[in-house]
PDB file of all heavy atoms in Angstrom:
ATOM      1  N   THR A  69      94.205  96.340 103.260  1.00 94.00           N
ATOM      2  CA  THR A  69      94.671  95.003 103.102  1.00 94.00           C
ATOM      3  C   THR A  69      95.718  94.910 101.946  1.00 94.00           C
ATOM      4  O   THR A  69      95.864  95.879 101.139  1.00 94.00           O
ATOM      5  CB  THR A  69      93.479  94.100 102.748  1.00 94.00           C
ATOM      6  OG1 THR A  69      93.923  92.724 102.730  1.00 94.00           O
ATOM      7  CG2 THR A  69      92.897  94.415 101.449  1.00 94.00           C
ATOM      8  N   SER A  70      96.476  93.841 102.008  1.00 91.00           N
ATOM      9  CA  SER A  70      97.355  93.585 100.977  1.00 91.00           C
ATOM     10  C   SER A  70      96.764  92.661  99.864  1.00 91.00           C
ATOM     11  O   SER A  70      97.192  92.566  98.721  1.00 91.00           O
ATOM     12  CB  SER A  70      98.689  92.876 101.429  1.00 91.00           C
ATOM     13  OG  SER A  70      98.343  91.523 101.844  1.00 91.00           O
ATOM     14  N   ASN A  71      95.684  91.994 100.243  1.00 91.00           N
ATOM     15  CA  ASN A  71      94.961  91.176  99.335  1.00 91.00           C
ATOM     16  C   ASN A  71      93.777  91.797  98.660  1.00 91.00           C
ATOM     17  O   ASN A  71      92.514  91.666  99.132  1.00 91.00           O
ATOM     18  CB  ASN A  71      94.415  89.926 100.171  1.00 91.00           C
ATOM     19  CG  ASN A  71      93.853  88.802  99.323  1.00 91.00           C
ATOM     20  OD1 ASN A  71      93.868  88.900  98.023  1.00 91.00           O
ATOM     21  ND2 ASN A  71      93.509  87.652  99.905  1.00 91.00           N
ATOM     22  N   ILE A  72      93.960  92.578  97.610  1.00 90.00           N
ATOM     23  CA  ILE A  72      92.963  93.388  97.116  1.00 90.00           C
ATOM     24  C   ILE A  72      92.002  92.610  96.201  1.00 90.00           C
ATOM     25  O   ILE A  72      90.972  93.125  95.717  1.00 90.00           O
ATOM     26  CB  ILE A  72      93.559  94.499  96.123  1.00 90.00           C
ATOM     27  CG1 ILE A  72      94.461  93.934  94.956  1.00 90.00           C
ATOM     28  CG2 ILE A  72      94.427  95.449  97.004  1.00 90.00           C
ATOM     29  CD1 ILE A  72      94.958  94.908  93.946  1.00 90.00           C
ATOM     30  N   HIS A  73      92.344  91.312  95.965  1.00 90.00           N
ATOM     31  CA  HIS A  73      91.381  90.423  95.215  1.00 90.00           C
ATOM     32  C   HIS A  73      90.587  89.492  96.102  1.00 90.00           C
ATOM     33  O   HIS A  73      89.747  88.675  95.580  1.00 90.00           O
ATOM     34  CB  HIS A  73      92.206  89.531  94.207  1.00 90.00           C
ATOM     35  CG  HIS A  73      92.968  90.398  93.286  1.00 90.00           C
ATOM     36  ND1 HIS A  73      92.417  91.196  92.330  1.00 90.00           N
ATOM     37  CD2 HIS A  73      94.300  90.485  93.122  1.00 90.00           C
ATOM     38  CE1 HIS A  73      93.346  91.722  91.610  1.00 90.00           C
ATOM     39  NE2 HIS A  73      94.558  91.391  92.093  1.00 90.00           N
ATOM     40  N   SER A  74      90.639  89.750  97.413  1.00 93.00           N
ATOM     41  CA  SER A  74      89.814  88.860  98.329  1.00 93.00           C
ATOM     42  C   SER A  74      88.352  89.282  98.268  1.00 93.00           C
ATOM     43  O   SER A  74      87.926  90.329  97.818  1.00 93.00           O
ATOM     44  CB  SER A  74      90.428  89.191  99.765  1.00 93.00           C
ATOM     45  OG  SER A  74      90.150  90.563 100.125  1.00 93.00           O
ATOM     46  N   LYS A  75      87.535  88.500  98.854  1.00 94.00           N
ATOM     47  CA  LYS A  75      86.148  88.742  98.836  1.00 94.00           C
ATOM     48  C   LYS A  75      85.798  90.003  99.708  1.00 94.00           C
ATOM     49  O   LYS A  75      84.931  90.696  99.314  1.00 94.00           O
ATOM     50  CB  LYS A  75      85.418  87.508  99.533  1.00 94.00           C
ATOM     51  CG  LYS A  75      83.885  87.688  99.613  1.00 94.00           C
ATOM     52  CD  LYS A  75      83.214  86.490 100.243  1.00 94.00           C
ATOM     53  CE  LYS A  75      81.768  86.649 100.379  1.00 94.00           C
ATOM     54  NZ  LYS A  75      81.046  85.466 100.963  1.00 94.00           N
ATOM     55  N   LEU A  76      86.493  90.176 100.665  1.00 95.00           N
ATOM     56  CA  LEU A  76      86.249  91.372 101.555  1.00 95.00           C
ATOM     57  C   LEU A  76      86.663  92.564 100.889  1.00 95.00           C
ATOM     58  O   LEU A  76      85.850  93.548 100.864  1.00 95.00           O
ATOM     59  CB  LEU A  76      87.202  91.206 102.802  1.00 95.00           C
ATOM     60  CG  LEU A  76      87.000  92.402 103.934  1.00 95.00           C
ATOM     61  CD1 LEU A  76      85.586  92.291 104.454  1.00 95.00           C
ATOM     62  CD2 LEU A  76      87.989  92.108 105.112  1.00 95.00           C
ATOM     63  N   ALA A  77      87.744  92.627 100.065  1.00 94.00           N
ATOM     64  CA  ALA A  77      88.192  93.738  99.378  1.00 94.00           C
ATOM     65  C   ALA A  77      87.197  94.040  98.222  1.00 94.00           C
ATOM     66  O   ALA A  77      86.833  95.281  98.063  1.00 94.00           O
ATOM     67  CB  ALA A  77      89.656  93.642  98.859  1.00 94.00           C
ATOM     68  N   VAL A  78      86.863  93.032  97.423  1.00 94.00           N
ATOM     69  CA  VAL A  78      86.014  93.248  96.302  1.00 94.00           C
ATOM     70  C   VAL A  78      84.667  93.788  96.782  1.00 94.00           C
ATOM     71  O   VAL A  78      83.968  94.514  95.999  1.00 94.00           O
ATOM     72  CB  VAL A  78      85.840  91.875  95.566  1.00 94.00           C
ATOM     73  CG1 VAL A  78      84.655  91.916  94.459  1.00 94.00           C
ATOM     74  CG2 VAL A  78      87.148  91.472  94.956  1.00 94.00           C
ATOM     75  N   ASN A  79      84.185  93.403  98.005  1.00 96.00           N
ATOM     76  CA  ASN A  79      82.922  93.981  98.427  1.00 96.00           C
ATOM     77  C   ASN A  79      83.022  95.232  99.230  1.00 96.00           C
ATOM     78  O   ASN A  79      81.990  95.678  99.749  1.00 96.00           O
ATOM     79  CB  ASN A  79      82.229  92.959  99.266  1.00 96.00           C
ATOM     80  CG  ASN A  79      81.613  91.763  98.459  1.00 96.00           C
ATOM     81  OD1 ASN A  79      80.422  91.889  97.930  1.00 96.00           O
ATOM     82  ND2 ASN A  79      82.379  90.672  98.291  1.00 96.00           N
ATOM     83  N   SER A  80      84.184  95.838  99.194  1.00 97.00           N
ATOM     84  CA  SER A  80      84.319  97.087  99.919  1.00 97.00           C
ATOM     85  C   SER A  80      84.175  98.378  99.040  1.00 97.00           C
ATOM     86  O   SER A  80      84.362  98.239  97.848  1.00 97.00           O
ATOM     87  CB  SER A  80      85.727  97.175 100.589  1.00 97.00           C
ATOM     88  OG  SER A  80      86.035  96.179 101.460  1.00 97.00           O
ATOM     89  N   ASP A  81      83.685  99.363  99.540  1.00 97.00           N
ATOM     90  CA  ASP A  81      83.599 100.648  98.858  1.00 97.00           C
ATOM     91  C   ASP A  81      84.954 101.342  98.489  1.00 97.00           C
ATOM     92  O   ASP A  81      85.120 101.922  97.449  1.00 97.00           O
ATOM     93  CB  ASP A  81      82.694 101.635  99.636  1.00 97.00           C
ATOM     94  CG  ASP A  81      81.259 101.070  99.766  1.00 97.00           C
ATOM     95  OD1 ASP A  81      80.511 101.010  98.892  1.00 97.00           O
ATOM     96  OD2 ASP A  81      81.058 100.642 100.953  1.00 97.00           O
ATOM     97  N   ILE A  82      85.891 101.164  99.508  1.00 97.00           N
ATOM     98  CA  ILE A  82      87.122 101.794  99.267  1.00 97.00           C
ATOM     99  C   ILE A  82      88.212 100.671  99.645  1.00 97.00           C
ATOM    100  O   ILE A  82      87.993 100.135 100.868  1.00 97.00           O
ATOM    101  CB  ILE A  82      87.332 103.084 100.093  1.00 97.00           C
ATOM    102  CG1 ILE A  82      86.443 104.134  99.503  1.00 97.00           C
ATOM    103  CG2 ILE A  82      88.755 103.551 100.076  1.00 97.00           C
ATOM    104  CD1 ILE A  82      86.458 105.371 100.329  1.00 97.00           C
ATOM    105  N   VAL A  83      89.236 100.497  99.048  1.00 96.00           N
ATOM    106  CA  VAL A  83      90.328  99.591  99.422  1.00 96.00           C
ATOM    107  C   VAL A  83      91.662 100.391  99.457  1.00 96.00           C
ATOM    108  O   VAL A  83      92.078 101.003  98.420  1.00 96.00           O
ATOM    109  CB  VAL A  83      90.485  98.364  98.398  1.00 96.00           C
ATOM    110  CG1 VAL A  83      91.643  97.486  98.852  1.00 96.00           C
ATOM    111  CG2 VAL A  83      89.110  97.578  98.434  1.00 96.00           C
ATOM    112  N   LEU A  84      92.270 100.294 100.573  1.00 96.00           N
ATOM    113  CA  LEU A  84      93.608 100.985 100.729  1.00 96.00           C
ATOM    114  C   LEU A  84      94.570  99.843 100.820  1.00 96.00           C
ATOM    115  O   LEU A  84      94.652  99.081 101.729  1.00 96.00           O
ATOM    116  CB  LEU A  84      93.596 101.861 101.975  1.00 96.00           C
ATOM    117  CG  LEU A  84      92.541 102.958 102.036  1.00 96.00           C
ATOM    118  CD1 LEU A  84      92.644 103.731 103.384  1.00 96.00           C
ATOM    119  CD2 LEU A  84      92.734 103.989 100.967  1.00 96.00           C
ATOM    120  N   GLN A  85      95.435  99.763  99.774  1.00 92.00           N
ATOM    121  CA  GLN A  85      96.280  98.717  99.493  1.00 92.00           C
ATOM    122  C   GLN A  85      97.625  98.676 100.302  1.00 92.00           C
ATOM    123  O   GLN A  85      98.341  99.726 100.360  1.00 92.00           O
ATOM    124  CB  GLN A  85      96.604  98.499  98.099  1.00 92.00           C
ATOM    125  CG  GLN A  85      97.394  97.117  97.763  1.00 92.00           C
ATOM    126  CD  GLN A  85      97.577  96.999  96.321  1.00 92.00           C
ATOM    127  OE1 GLN A  85      97.151  97.814  95.472  1.00 92.00           O
ATOM    128  NE2 GLN A  85      98.345  95.929  95.855  1.00 92.00           N
ATOM    129  N   LEU A  86      98.032  97.602 101.055  1.00 92.00           N
ATOM    130  CA  LEU A  86      99.308  97.411 101.676  1.00 92.00           C
ATOM    131  C   LEU A  86     100.106  96.652 100.713  1.00 92.00           C
ATOM    132  O   LEU A  86      99.626  95.774  99.922  1.00 92.00           O
ATOM    133  CB  LEU A  86      99.129  96.732 102.965  1.00 92.00           C
ATOM    134  CG  LEU A  86      98.354  97.240 104.122  1.00 92.00           C
ATOM    135  CD1 LEU A  86      97.899  96.254 105.043  1.00 92.00           C
ATOM    136  CD2 LEU A  86      99.181  98.265 104.778  1.00 92.00           C
ATOM    137  N   PRO A  87     101.443  96.778 100.735  1.00 87.00           N
ATOM    138  CA  PRO A  87     102.440  95.971  99.954  1.00 87.00           C
ATOM    139  C   PRO A  87     102.266  94.645 100.361  1.00 87.00           C
ATOM    140  O   PRO A  87     102.116  94.295 101.675  1.00 87.00           O
ATOM    141  CB  PRO A  87     103.767  96.595 100.265  1.00 87.00           C
ATOM    142  CG  PRO A  87     103.522  97.966 100.792  1.00 87.00           C
ATOM    143  CD  PRO A  87     102.207  98.015 101.408  1.00 87.00           C
ATOM    144  N   ASP A  88     102.462  93.568  99.512  1.00 83.00           N
ATOM    145  CA  ASP A  88     102.361  92.155  99.828  1.00 83.00           C
ATOM    146  C   ASP A  88     103.844  91.655  99.891  1.00 83.00           C
ATOM    147  O   ASP A  88     104.266  90.905  99.133  1.00 83.00           O
ATOM    148  CB  ASP A  88     101.525  91.397  98.788  1.00 83.00           C
ATOM    149  CG  ASP A  88     101.424  90.037  99.137  1.00 83.00           C
ATOM    150  OD1 ASP A  88     101.676  89.633 100.252  1.00 83.00           O
ATOM    151  OD2 ASP A  88     101.068  89.266  98.188  1.00 83.00           O
ATOM    152  N   ASP A  89     104.525  91.931 100.995  1.00 79.00           N
ATOM    153  CA  ASP A  89     105.945  91.658 101.174  1.00 79.00           C
ATOM    154  C   ASP A  89     106.310  90.556 102.024  1.00 79.00           C
ATOM    155  O   ASP A  89     107.300  89.863 102.027  1.00 79.00           O
ATOM    156  CB  ASP A  89     106.742  92.902 101.575  1.00 79.00           C
ATOM    157  CG  ASP A  89     106.812  93.857 100.455  1.00 79.00           C
ATOM    158  OD1 ASP A  89     107.038  93.552  99.295  1.00 79.00           O
ATOM    159  OD2 ASP A  89     106.669  95.146 100.777  1.00 79.00           O
ATOM    160  N   GLU A  90     105.321  90.293 103.026  1.00 73.00           N
ATOM    161  CA  GLU A  90     105.634  89.307 104.072  1.00 73.00           C
ATOM    162  C   GLU A  90     104.914  87.972 103.969  1.00 73.00           C
ATOM    163  O   GLU A  90     103.792  87.921 103.339  1.00 73.00           O
ATOM    164  CB  GLU A  90     105.186  89.867 105.377  1.00 73.00           C
ATOM    165  CG  GLU A  90     105.994  91.144 105.869  1.00 73.00           C
ATOM    166  CD  GLU A  90     105.508  91.776 107.110  1.00 73.00           C
ATOM    167  OE1 GLU A  90     104.421  91.390 107.611  1.00 73.00           O
ATOM    168  OE2 GLU A  90     106.207  92.666 107.613  1.00 73.00           O
ATOM    169  N   SER A  91     105.477  86.896 104.294  1.00 71.00           N
ATOM    170  CA  SER A  91     104.977  85.617 104.167  1.00 71.00           C
ATOM    171  C   SER A  91     104.464  85.220 105.550  1.00 71.00           C
ATOM    172  O   SER A  91     104.973  85.542 106.648  1.00 71.00           O
ATOM    173  CB  SER A  91     106.051  84.597 103.870  1.00 71.00           C
ATOM    174  OG  SER A  91     105.630  83.272 104.132  1.00 71.00           O
ATOM    175  N   PHE A  92     103.211  84.600 105.589  1.00 65.00           N
ATOM    176  CA  PHE A  92     102.705  84.170 106.812  1.00 65.00           C
ATOM    177  C   PHE A  92     103.455  83.110 107.527  1.00 65.00           C
ATOM    178  O   PHE A  92     103.494  83.107 108.813  1.00 65.00           O
ATOM    179  CB  PHE A  92     101.290  83.673 106.565  1.00 65.00           C
ATOM    180  CG  PHE A  92     100.250  84.609 105.994  1.00 65.00           C
ATOM    181  CD1 PHE A  92      99.984  84.596 104.574  1.00 65.00           C
ATOM    182  CD2 PHE A  92      99.790  85.680 106.725  1.00 65.00           C
ATOM    183  CE1 PHE A  92      99.078  85.489 104.036  1.00 65.00           C
ATOM    184  CE2 PHE A  92      98.957  86.584 106.141  1.00 65.00           C
ATOM    185  CZ  PHE A  92      98.570  86.490 104.768  1.00 65.00           C
ATOM    186  N   ASP A  93     104.205  82.279 106.799  1.00 63.00           N
ATOM    187  CA  ASP A  93     104.964  81.211 107.438  1.00 63.00           C
ATOM    188  C   ASP A  93     106.318  81.571 107.815  1.00 63.00           C
ATOM    189  O   ASP A  93     106.929  80.902 108.782  1.00 63.00           O
ATOM    190  CB  ASP A  93     104.947  79.996 106.510  1.00 63.00           C
ATOM    191  CG  ASP A  93     103.546  79.527 106.167  1.00 63.00           C
ATOM    192  OD1 ASP A  93     102.639  79.639 107.050  1.00 63.00           O
ATOM    193  OD2 ASP A  93     103.258  79.100 105.085  1.00 63.00           O
ATOM    194  N   GLU A  94     107.024  82.446 107.005  1.00 64.00           N
ATOM    195  CA  GLU A  94     108.429  82.606 107.171  1.00 64.00           C
ATOM    196  C   GLU A  94     108.740  83.921 108.048  1.00 64.00           C
ATOM    197  O   GLU A  94     109.987  83.911 108.448  1.00 64.00           O
ATOM    198  CB  GLU A  94     109.056  82.711 105.819  1.00 64.00           C
ATOM    199  CG  GLU A  94     108.931  81.429 104.977  1.00 64.00           C
ATOM    200  CD  GLU A  94     109.603  81.540 103.594  1.00 64.00           C
ATOM    201  OE1 GLU A  94     110.145  82.761 103.340  1.00 64.00           O
ATOM    202  OE2 GLU A  94     109.391  80.668 102.888  1.00 64.00           O
ATOM    203  N   LYS A  95     107.968  84.842 108.174  1.00 70.00           N
ATOM    204  CA  LYS A  95     108.432  86.113 108.776  1.00 70.00           C
ATOM    205  C   LYS A  95     108.663  85.946 110.257  1.00 70.00           C
ATOM    206  O   LYS A  95     107.990  85.064 110.890  1.00 70.00           O
ATOM    207  CB  LYS A  95     107.262  87.155 108.550  1.00 70.00           C
ATOM    208  CG  LYS A  95     105.971  86.935 109.219  1.00 70.00           C
ATOM    209  CD  LYS A  95     104.924  87.976 108.961  1.00 70.00           C
ATOM    210  CE  LYS A  95     103.621  87.664 109.593  1.00 70.00           C
ATOM    211  NZ  LYS A  95     102.585  88.707 109.328  1.00 70.00           N
ATOM    212  N   VAL A  96     109.610  86.688 110.772  1.00 67.00           N
ATOM    213  CA  VAL A  96     109.914  86.553 112.169  1.00 67.00           C
ATOM    214  C   VAL A  96     109.115  87.515 112.974  1.00 67.00           C
ATOM    215  O   VAL A  96     109.026  87.394 114.243  1.00 67.00           O
ATOM    216  CB  VAL A  96     111.498  86.837 112.420  1.00 67.00           C
ATOM    217  CG1 VAL A  96     112.340  85.746 111.788  1.00 67.00           C
ATOM    218  CG2 VAL A  96     111.817  88.192 111.883  1.00 67.00           C
ATOM    219  N   ALA A  97     108.491  88.504 112.389  1.00 73.00           N
ATOM    220  CA  ALA A  97     107.608  89.465 112.956  1.00 73.00           C
ATOM    221  C   ALA A  97     107.011  90.252 111.825  1.00 73.00           C
ATOM    222  O   ALA A  97     107.521  90.314 110.714  1.00 73.00           O
ATOM    223  CB  ALA A  97     108.329  90.408 113.982  1.00 73.00           C
ATOM    224  N   SER A  98     105.936  90.967 112.207  1.00 76.00           N
ATOM    225  CA  SER A  98     105.200  91.851 111.224  1.00 76.00           C
ATOM    226  C   SER A  98     105.812  93.208 111.218  1.00 76.00           C
ATOM    227  O   SER A  98     105.225  94.257 111.510  1.00 76.00           O
ATOM    228  CB  SER A  98     103.682  91.985 111.567  1.00 76.00           C
ATOM    229  OG  SER A  98     103.133  90.712 111.623  1.00 76.00           O
ATOM    230  N   PHE A  99     107.140  93.250 110.950  1.00 79.00           N
ATOM    231  CA  PHE A  99     107.802  94.613 111.011  1.00 79.00           C
ATOM    232  C   PHE A  99     107.235  95.589 109.988  1.00 79.00           C
ATOM    233  O   PHE A  99     106.714  96.639 110.442  1.00 79.00           O
ATOM    234  CB  PHE A  99     109.356  94.340 110.715  1.00 79.00           C
ATOM    235  CG  PHE A  99     110.116  93.597 111.763  1.00 79.00           C
ATOM    236  CD1 PHE A  99     110.754  92.510 111.469  1.00 79.00           C
ATOM    237  CD2 PHE A  99     110.086  94.060 113.046  1.00 79.00           C
ATOM    238  CE1 PHE A  99     111.519  91.769 112.397  1.00 79.00           C
ATOM    239  CE2 PHE A  99     110.767  93.348 114.073  1.00 79.00           C
ATOM    240  CZ  PHE A  99     111.504  92.226 113.674  1.00 79.00           C
ATOM    241  N   ALA A 100     107.375  95.272 108.706  1.00 82.00           N
ATOM    242  CA  ALA A 100     106.913  96.245 107.682  1.00 82.00           C
ATOM    243  C   ALA A 100     105.399  96.378 107.666  1.00 82.00           C
ATOM    244  O   ALA A 100     104.930  97.600 107.541  1.00 82.00           O
ATOM    245  CB  ALA A 100     107.435  95.747 106.405  1.00 82.00           C
TER     246      ALA A 100
END
């Protein structure tokens, strides 16, 4: 996930972080 402070991430044993580059509202597609 890109949201390493989320409830799901905090309760995980391992978190593999994605860059937080894309906006949910503005992106034309999930390219990156």
Side-chain angles (χ1 to χ4, degrees):
T69 184
S70 67
N71 189 356
I72 60 172
H73 301 297
S74 62
K75 180 178 179 180
L76 187 62
V78 170
N79 283 277
S80 298
D81 299 284
I82 295 174
V83 178
L84 302 176
Q85 185 177 357
L86 294 161
D88 183 14
D89 290 320
E90 293 177 349
S91 166
F92 296 107
D93 301 325
E94 297 178 4
K95 65 182 178 182
V96 296
S98 304
F99 291 123

